[in-house]
Structure formats: structure tokens, C-alpha cells
Amino acid sequence: MNGIQLIVGLGNPGAQYEATRHNAGFWWVDQLARQHGASLKLDSKFHGLLGRARIQGQDCWLLEPNTFMNASGRAVAAVANFYRIPPQAILVVHDELDLPPGGIKLKKGGGHGGHNGLKDIAAALGTPDFWRLRLGIGHPGDRDAVVHFVLHTPSRDEMRSIEIAMDESLNALPQLIDGAFEAAMLKLHTKPKTVAKVEKS
């Protein structure tokens, strides 16, 4: 298999965090699980909620770490090591401050951009060379306001934009599972062109 074998959604456990921007990765994996009839169950051995979905005729593991964000790597490394999943077959879905609500970017490797979940996963795997699906949540405009911002609920308009982005990005799952990453990027990064209407005078 050359494609994605493990999809990790990032977030913080607990009801008080469910609707906050930092939990966008959880929202995405929850939606994927609903679409594919998968159920995630708490597995203490893997420090998180783990399930399996059948996509494109292949089994793919779904994981939501049950640790707080800055300790996400413990769960990811536990699953990856047990099932012998290499870093390049892991997709981490996370909130992204540097993209507006509704923005989507797929990339492999690179820095963590101050995201504590990515930072811990790279440390636990011993490499940053895993795939990331970045879900835009916007930026408060002030670095000092970031913690407050990510731990609060998006506005209704922001949430609608994020939901549309999640739907669009889930459409790229077949390519991701098949390892057709360039095709997945093309699908995700190409926005449909709007046709301008010419007003008749």
C-alpha cells in the first residue's frame, strides 16, 4: 500500500472543548466515521479513540488521541508502531491559524508552525515527514490572543465555511487512500471558478 493507512484527527478531550476551533481535526474524523459507518472506541493501549473504516476496498485506521493536544504523539506513535505504519502513510488532520475559515491545504512534512499537536507527533515519530491536512480556522490578528481564540467556538458563518471545507476535503479520500497525492492536492487546492454574470443594460 502506498496510500494513507492511518488518519489522525487532533483535538482536546472533554465536553468543554468539543465545539472549539482547536478540535477541527476531531470534527473531520467524526464526519468521516459517520460517512463510512465506522465507530471509534476508547482503547487505553493506544491512548485514544480508535476505529477502522473500509475505504476504496482498503482498511484505514482512524484515531483521535485522548491526551491533550500537546501530548498527541503518544497515541499516534503507539498505533503506528503496533500496526507497523510508516510516517508517510499517516495523515494528521488539524486546525490551521494561517488559513481563513474554509481554507484547506494538504502537505507532507515541514515545520509545526507553533502547533503543539504537530510538534509532539513529529517528536514521537522521530520525523516530521507525515502528511497533514490543514483546516483553516482563521487568526485573531494578535499572537497574544491565539490561545483564547483556538479554545473558543467559531461564529456561525465561520463554522459554515469550515463545514463546507470538510465536505470538500472528504471528497479527496479516495485519492489519499490510493496514494495519488498529487491528484488529491489538485482536487483540494483548485477552487471552482465562478462565472461572472453580465448585466444587460
Side-chain angles (χ1 to χ4, degrees):
M1 269 182 72
N2 297 318
I4 296 299
Q5 300 172 43
L6 169 62
I7 298 174
V8 183
L10 295 189
N12 283 311
Q16 70 270 39
Y17 296 109
E18 276 180 15
T20 64
R21 294 179 178 94
H22 223 13
N23 276 36
F26 280 5
W27 304 341
W28 197 92
V29 168
D30 286 342
Q31 191 162 325
L32 186 163
R34 283 193 296 271
Q35 287 185 2
H36 291 272
S39 59
L40 277 69
K41 295 179 181 175
L42 185 61
D43 191 324
S44 57
K45 179 172 66 176
F46 296 121
H47 313 287
L49 295 162
L50 187 67
R52 193 162 52 177
R54 191 81 175 159
I55 306 168
Q56 291 292 100
Q58 298 178 45
D59 284 336
C60 182
W61 291 102
L62 310 179
L63 172 67
E64 293 179 358
N66 197 41
T67 58
F68 281 96
M69 185 70 82
N70 60 1
S72 300
R74 190 184 311 161
V76 178
V79 175
N81 291 338
F82 187 83
Y83 291 108
R84 297 181 181 177
I85 300 170
Q88 62 269 23
I90 299 172
L91 175 69
V92 176
V93 186
H94 65 91
D95 58 305
E96 177 56 64
L97 286 160
D98 293 334
L99 291 174
I104 316 165
K105 288 288 180 191
L106 176 68
K107 66 175 287 193
K108 183 184 179 187
H112 54 76
H115 196 291
N116 288 329
L118 295 178
K119 183 179 179 181
D120 196 63
I121 291 168
L125 294 177
T127 177
D129 290 335
F130 50 89
W131 286 90
R132 302 102 184 272
L133 183 64
R134 304 158 67 198
L135 294 175
I137 59 167
H139 196 289
D142 180 356
R143 280 181 61 187
D144 293 335
V146 163
V147 173
H148 178 85
F149 181 78
V150 299
L151 294 180
H152 279 74
T153 307
S155 69
R156 185 177 295 180
D157 285 347
E158 288 172 344
M159 192 63 214
R160 180 69 188 133
S161 295
I162 293 167
E163 286 171 347
I164 291 169
M166 290 197 297
D167 285 340
E168 288 177 356
S169 52
L170 281 162
N171 288 335
L173 259 183
Q175 287 82 13
L176 292 169
I177 299 299
D178 284 343
F181 295 108
E182 287 189 12
M185 284 183 179
L186 193 64
K187 179 173 276 194
L188 290 170
H189 300 167
T190 306
K191 294 289 183 184
K193 292 179 180 176
T194 54
V195 179
K197 291 183 179 177
V198 178
E199 294 288 334
K200 289 184 178 178
S201 54

Short mmCIF file of all heavy atoms in Angstrom, two decimals, residues 125-157:
data_model
loop_
_atom_site.label_atom_id
_atom_site.label_comp_id
_atom_site.label_asym_id
_atom_site.label_seq_id
_atom_site.Cartn_x
_atom_site.Cartn_y
_atom_site.Cartn_z
N LEU A 125 7.34 10.36 16.51
CA LEU A 125 7.65 9.53 15.34
C LEU A 125 9.12 9.61 14.95
O LEU A 125 9.61 8.78 14.19
CB LEU A 125 6.78 9.94 14.15
CG LEU A 125 5.27 9.71 14.26
CD1 LEU A 125 4.56 10.26 13.03
CD2 LEU A 125 4.94 8.23 14.46
N GLY A 126 9.79 10.64 15.43
CA GLY A 126 11.19 10.84 15.09
C GLY A 126 11.40 11.47 13.73
O GLY A 126 12.51 11.50 13.20
N THR A 127 10.32 11.98 13.15
CA THR A 127 10.39 12.62 11.83
C THR A 127 9.16 13.49 11.63
O THR A 127 8.08 13.16 12.13
CB THR A 127 10.45 11.57 10.70
OG1 THR A 127 10.45 12.24 9.43
CG2 THR A 127 9.26 10.62 10.75
N PRO A 128 9.29 14.59 10.88
CA PRO A 128 8.12 15.40 10.53
C PRO A 128 7.49 14.96 9.21
O PRO A 128 6.56 15.60 8.73
CB PRO A 128 8.71 16.81 10.39
CG PRO A 128 10.09 16.57 9.87
CD PRO A 128 10.55 15.25 10.45
N ASP A 129 8.00 13.89 8.60
CA ASP A 129 7.59 13.51 7.25
C ASP A 129 6.30 12.69 7.20
O ASP A 129 6.25 11.60 6.60
CB ASP A 129 8.72 12.76 6.54
CG ASP A 129 9.87 13.69 6.20
OD1 ASP A 129 9.63 14.91 6.06
OD2 ASP A 129 11.01 13.20 6.09
N PHE A 130 5.25 13.22 7.82
CA PHE A 130 3.92 12.64 7.70
C PHE A 130 3.05 13.67 6.97
O PHE A 130 3.41 14.84 6.87
CB PHE A 130 3.33 12.28 9.07
CG PHE A 130 3.40 13.38 10.08
CD1 PHE A 130 2.38 14.31 10.20
CD2 PHE A 130 4.50 13.50 10.94
CE1 PHE A 130 2.44 15.34 11.14
CE2 PHE A 130 4.57 14.52 11.88
CZ PHE A 130 3.54 15.45 11.98
N TRP A 131 1.91 13.22 6.47
CA TRP A 131 1.01 14.12 5.75
C TRP A 131 0.15 14.92 6.71
O TRP A 131 -0.22 14.41 7.77
CB TRP A 131 0.12 13.31 4.79
CG TRP A 131 0.88 12.82 3.59
CD1 TRP A 131 1.55 11.62 3.47
CD2 TRP A 131 1.06 13.51 2.36
NE1 TRP A 131 2.14 11.54 2.24
CE2 TRP A 131 1.86 12.67 1.53
CE3 TRP A 131 0.66 14.74 1.87
CZ2 TRP A 131 2.24 13.04 0.24
CZ3 TRP A 131 1.03 15.11 0.58
CH2 TRP A 131 1.81 14.27 -0.21
N ARG A 132 -0.16 16.14 6.32
CA ARG A 132 -1.04 16.99 7.14
C ARG A 132 -2.15 17.55 6.26
O ARG A 132 -1.90 18.03 5.16
CB ARG A 132 -0.27 18.19 7.72
CG ARG A 132 0.95 17.82 8.58
CD ARG A 132 2.23 18.03 7.78
NE ARG A 132 3.44 17.61 8.49
CZ ARG A 132 4.13 18.40 9.30
NH1 ARG A 132 3.74 19.65 9.49
NH2 ARG A 132 5.21 17.95 9.91
N LEU A 133 -3.36 17.51 6.77
CA LEU A 133 -4.49 18.19 6.15
C LEU A 133 -4.84 19.36 7.06
O LEU A 133 -5.27 19.17 8.20
CB LEU A 133 -5.68 17.26 5.98
CG LEU A 133 -6.90 17.87 5.27
CD1 LEU A 133 -6.55 18.24 3.82
CD2 LEU A 133 -8.08 16.93 5.28
N ARG A 134 -4.60 20.55 6.56
CA ARG A 134 -4.74 21.77 7.36
C ARG A 134 -6.12 22.39 7.11
O ARG A 134 -6.43 22.78 5.99
CB ARG A 134 -3.64 22.76 6.99
CG ARG A 134 -2.24 22.18 7.14
CD ARG A 134 -1.21 22.94 6.30
NE ARG A 134 -1.03 24.30 6.79
CZ ARG A 134 -0.48 25.27 6.07
NH1 ARG A 134 -0.10 25.05 4.82
NH2 ARG A 134 -0.34 26.48 6.59
N LEU A 135 -6.94 22.46 8.16
CA LEU A 135 -8.28 23.05 8.06
C LEU A 135 -8.23 24.47 8.61
O LEU A 135 -7.97 24.67 9.81
CB LEU A 135 -9.28 22.22 8.87
CG LEU A 135 -9.56 20.80 8.39
CD1 LEU A 135 -10.49 20.09 9.38
CD2 LEU A 135 -10.17 20.78 7.01
N GLY A 136 -8.48 25.45 7.76
CA GLY A 136 -8.39 26.84 8.18
C GLY A 136 -9.43 27.22 9.23
O GLY A 136 -10.61 26.87 9.10
N ILE A 137 -8.98 27.91 10.26
CA ILE A 137 -9.90 28.43 11.28
C ILE A 137 -9.77 29.95 11.40
O ILE A 137 -10.49 30.59 12.17
CB ILE A 137 -9.66 27.78 12.67
CG1 ILE A 137 -8.23 28.03 13.15
CG2 ILE A 137 -10.00 26.29 12.63
CD1 ILE A 137 -8.00 27.69 14.63
N GLY A 138 -8.82 30.56 10.65
CA GLY A 138 -8.59 31.98 10.75
C GLY A 138 -7.65 32.32 11.89
O GLY A 138 -7.22 31.44 12.65
N HIS A 139 -7.31 33.59 12.00
CA HIS A 139 -6.35 34.07 13.01
C HIS A 139 -6.95 35.28 13.71
O HIS A 139 -7.57 36.14 13.06
CB HIS A 139 -5.04 34.45 12.31
CG HIS A 139 -3.87 34.59 13.24
ND1 HIS A 139 -3.74 35.65 14.13
CD2 HIS A 139 -2.79 33.80 13.43
CE1 HIS A 139 -2.63 35.50 14.81
NE2 HIS A 139 -2.02 34.39 14.41
N PRO A 140 -6.76 35.40 15.02
CA PRO A 140 -7.34 36.55 15.74
C PRO A 140 -6.65 37.87 15.42
O PRO A 140 -7.15 38.94 15.78
CB PRO A 140 -7.15 36.17 17.21
CG PRO A 140 -5.96 35.26 17.23
CD PRO A 140 -6.06 34.48 15.95
N GLY A 141 -5.47 37.80 14.76
CA GLY A 141 -4.76 39.03 14.40
C GLY A 141 -3.73 39.47 15.42
O GLY A 141 -2.94 40.37 15.16
N ASP A 142 -3.72 38.81 16.56
CA ASP A 142 -2.79 39.15 17.64
C ASP A 142 -2.25 37.85 18.23
O ASP A 142 -3.03 37.00 18.67
CB ASP A 142 -3.52 39.97 18.71
CG ASP A 142 -2.63 40.38 19.88
OD1 ASP A 142 -1.45 39.97 19.90
OD2 ASP A 142 -3.11 41.10 20.76
N ARG A 143 -0.94 37.70 18.22
CA ARG A 143 -0.33 36.46 18.73
C ARG A 143 -0.74 36.16 20.16
O ARG A 143 -0.93 35.01 20.54
CB ARG A 143 1.20 36.56 18.65
CG ARG A 143 1.76 36.28 17.27
CD ARG A 143 3.27 36.35 17.27
NE ARG A 143 3.88 35.38 18.17
CZ ARG A 143 5.18 35.34 18.44
NH1 ARG A 143 6.00 36.22 17.88
NH2 ARG A 143 5.67 34.42 19.23
N ASP A 144 -0.89 37.20 20.95
CA ASP A 144 -1.24 37.01 22.36
C ASP A 144 -2.67 36.50 22.54
O ASP A 144 -3.03 36.03 23.63
CB ASP A 144 -1.07 38.32 23.14
CG ASP A 144 0.41 38.75 23.22
OD1 ASP A 144 1.28 37.86 23.12
OD2 ASP A 144 0.67 39.96 23.37
N ALA A 145 -3.48 36.62 21.50
CA ALA A 145 -4.88 36.20 21.60
C ALA A 145 -5.12 34.79 21.06
O ALA A 145 -6.24 34.29 21.10
CB ALA A 145 -5.76 37.19 20.83
N VAL A 146 -4.05 34.14 20.56
CA VAL A 146 -4.22 32.85 19.88
C VAL A 146 -4.79 31.77 20.80
O VAL A 146 -5.73 31.06 20.41
CB VAL A 146 -2.87 32.38 19.27
CG1 VAL A 146 -2.91 30.89 18.93
CG2 VAL A 146 -2.56 33.18 18.01
N VAL A 147 -4.27 31.63 22.00
CA VAL A 147 -4.74 30.58 22.91
C VAL A 147 -6.23 30.74 23.20
O VAL A 147 -7.01 29.77 23.12
CB VAL A 147 -3.93 30.57 24.23
CG1 VAL A 147 -4.55 29.59 25.22
CG2 VAL A 147 -2.48 30.18 23.96
N HIS A 148 -6.65 31.95 23.51
CA HIS A 148 -8.06 32.22 23.75
C HIS A 148 -8.89 31.90 22.51
O HIS A 148 -9.97 31.30 22.60
CB HIS A 148 -8.23 33.71 24.14
CG HIS A 148 -9.65 34.12 24.36
ND1 HIS A 148 -10.29 33.94 25.57
CD2 HIS A 148 -10.57 34.67 23.52
CE1 HIS A 148 -11.54 34.38 25.46
NE2 HIS A 148 -11.73 34.84 24.23
N PHE A 149 -8.38 32.27 21.35
CA PHE A 149 -9.09 32.10 20.07
C PHE A 149 -9.33 30.63 19.75
O PHE A 149 -10.45 30.23 19.42
CB PHE A 149 -8.27 32.78 18.97
CG PHE A 149 -8.87 32.70 17.60
CD1 PHE A 149 -9.91 33.54 17.23
CD2 PHE A 149 -8.39 31.80 16.65
CE1 PHE A 149 -10.47 33.49 15.95
CE2 PHE A 149 -8.93 31.74 15.38
CZ PHE A 149 -9.98 32.58 15.03
N VAL A 150 -8.29 29.81 19.82
CA VAL A 150 -8.43 28.40 19.41
C VAL A 150 -9.29 27.60 20.39
O VAL A 150 -9.86 26.58 20.02
CB VAL A 150 -7.07 27.69 19.20
CG1 VAL A 150 -6.27 28.37 18.10
CG2 VAL A 150 -6.27 27.58 20.49
N LEU A 151 -9.40 28.08 21.63
CA LEU A 151 -10.18 27.36 22.63
C LEU A 151 -11.60 27.91 22.76
O LEU A 151 -12.28 27.67 23.75
CB LEU A 151 -9.47 27.38 23.99
CG LEU A 151 -8.13 26.63 24.03
CD1 LEU A 151 -7.50 26.71 25.41
CD2 LEU A 151 -8.32 25.16 23.63
N HIS A 152 -12.03 28.64 21.74
CA HIS A 152 -13.40 29.14 21.71
C HIS A 152 -14.11 28.71 20.43
O HIS A 152 -13.48 28.27 19.46
CB HIS A 152 -13.44 30.67 21.89
CG HIS A 152 -13.32 31.06 23.33
ND1 HIS A 152 -12.13 30.98 24.02
CD2 HIS A 152 -14.25 31.50 24.22
CE1 HIS A 152 -12.32 31.36 25.27
NE2 HIS A 152 -13.60 31.68 25.42
N THR A 153 -15.42 28.84 20.45
CA THR A 153 -16.28 28.37 19.37
C THR A 153 -16.27 29.34 18.18
O THR A 153 -16.31 30.55 18.38
CB THR A 153 -17.72 28.24 19.90
OG1 THR A 153 -17.71 27.43 21.08
CG2 THR A 153 -18.64 27.59 18.88
N PRO A 154 -16.22 28.82 16.95
CA PRO A 154 -16.29 29.70 15.79
C PRO A 154 -17.67 30.36 15.68
O PRO A 154 -18.66 29.84 16.23
CB PRO A 154 -16.09 28.74 14.60
CG PRO A 154 -15.76 27.41 15.16
CD PRO A 154 -16.13 27.40 16.58
N SER A 155 -17.74 31.48 14.97
CA SER A 155 -19.03 32.10 14.71
C SER A 155 -19.82 31.19 13.77
O SER A 155 -19.28 30.25 13.18
CB SER A 155 -18.84 33.46 14.05
OG SER A 155 -18.34 33.30 12.73
N ARG A 156 -21.10 31.48 13.61
CA ARG A 156 -21.94 30.65 12.74
C ARG A 156 -21.42 30.66 11.30
O ARG A 156 -21.36 29.62 10.65
CB ARG A 156 -23.39 31.17 12.78
CG ARG A 156 -24.36 30.29 12.00
CD ARG A 156 -25.78 30.79 12.13
NE ARG A 156 -26.26 30.69 13.51
CZ ARG A 156 -27.50 31.06 13.87
NH1 ARG A 156 -28.34 31.56 12.98
NH2 ARG A 156 -27.88 30.93 15.13
N ASP A 157 -21.03 31.83 10.80
CA ASP A 157 -20.52 31.93 9.44
C ASP A 157 -19.20 31.18 9.28
O ASP A 157 -18.97 30.51 8.27
CB ASP A 157 -20.33 33.39 9.03
CG ASP A 157 -21.64 34.09 8.74
OD1 ASP A 157 -22.68 33.39 8.61
OD2 ASP A 157 -21.65 35.33 8.65
#
